[in-house]
Amino acid sequence: ALPICMSLTSRPAGFSVRHLYLSAFPKEERFPFLFLQMMRLRRSCRFISYYKEGSLAGLSFTVEGRGMVFVLYLAVSENIRSTGIGSEILSYLKNLYGKPLTLNIEPMDDTADNADERRRRYSFYERNGFYNTGYLLRDTQMTYTVLSTAKDFLPDVYYETLLGIHPGGLGMPEILKK
């Protein structure tokens, strides 16, 4: 296991994280779990589970490109959210890769059923060094706001990185300037 800090360790994700994955992300935002298990076999993809004191603390699924790392999924176990674990995981990923991290979140929408959750999530990522890139990602189900730790975000590098989970561009979402 790789030490993240004194209290958190990481391991390659296995079947034990399936429940967290399914409970943390709405169906329309999830790839099939088996797809993620297969994709983690690619050198550019990592599916990592994190443990604190022997209990599952969280998970991440990342895709490494030449100029950035795309964080497809980041989740913290519900019973320990708001304790700093998410920030520890992001810090670990920043140190692991040494490249800017980019991710997608639901856009701010005061009329959404989960408007408060969206604001908290956006604030969490801002506190952890992410910026609004001014780009959106639109797939068949949703439109997302693209956040990145890169101050000079390059949509071409983002597109190239996304090809790591969309081989040959199959099912590739559209990247739009706001």
Side-chain angles (χ1 to χ4, degrees):
L2 300 170
I4 294 175
C5 68
M6 295 298 282
S7 63
L8 200 61
T9 58
S10 68
R11 302 178 195 157
F15 191 76
S16 64
V17 301
R18 186 173 189 272
H19 178 74
L20 173 57
Y21 173 69
L22 294 175
S23 65
F25 301 99
K27 185 176 182 173
E28 63 273 8
E29 294 181 19
R30 292 190 312 246
F31 281 103
F33 192 76
L34 183 58
F35 173 79
L36 296 180
Q37 290 290 77
M38 291 183 340
M39 289 301 292
R40 75 181 171 93
L41 300 175
R42 298 180 74 159
R43 191 173 8 178
S44 63
C45 297
R46 289 191 190 179
F47 198 173
I48 302 172
S49 55
Y50 303 88
Y51 296 84
K52 183 172 183 168
E53 298 170 5
S55 296
L56 181 64
L59 66 83
S60 65
F61 187 96
T62 56
V63 181
E64 184 177 14
R66 284 188 294 150
M68 75 172 52
V69 173
F70 179 63
V71 181
L72 178 61
Y73 296 112
L74 171 69
V76 172
S77 295
E78 188 172 4
N79 60 331
I80 57 170
R81 288 185 188 145
S82 300
T83 63
I85 298 295
S87 295
E88 285 186 67
I89 292 171
L90 286 173
S91 178
Y92 171 71
L93 293 173
K94 289 173 187 176
N95 290 327
L96 176 66
Y97 291 109
K99 296 179 183 179
L101 302 179
T102 300
L103 51 80
N104 306 324
I105 64 168
E106 295 170 300
M108 295 298 101
D109 178 357
D110 290 335
T111 64
D113 291 342
N114 65 344
D116 288 339
E117 181 182 326
R118 291 181 186 203
R119 276 191 291 280
R120 283 192 308 273
R121 188 175 297 122
Y122 187 87
S123 177
F124 164 76
Y125 285 116
E126 268 190 324
R127 286 191 313 273
N128 282 281
F130 285 81
Y131 305 90
N132 189 327
T133 64
Y135 284 87
L136 301 172
L137 182 82
R138 183 170 52 206
D139 67 16
T140 57
Q141 301 280 333
M142 301 259 313
T143 298
Y144 300 94
T145 299
V146 180
L147 303 181
S148 183
T149 59
K151 290 187 173 109
D152 296 320
F153 178 79
L154 301 171
D156 293 345
V157 174
Y158 175 57
Y159 180 87
E160 178 186 300
T161 304
L162 289 178
L163 286 173
I165 50 173
H166 295 281
L170 188 65
M172 186 64 138
E174 186 179 10
I175 300 168
L176 307 166
K177 181 79 173 148
K178 281 189 197 175

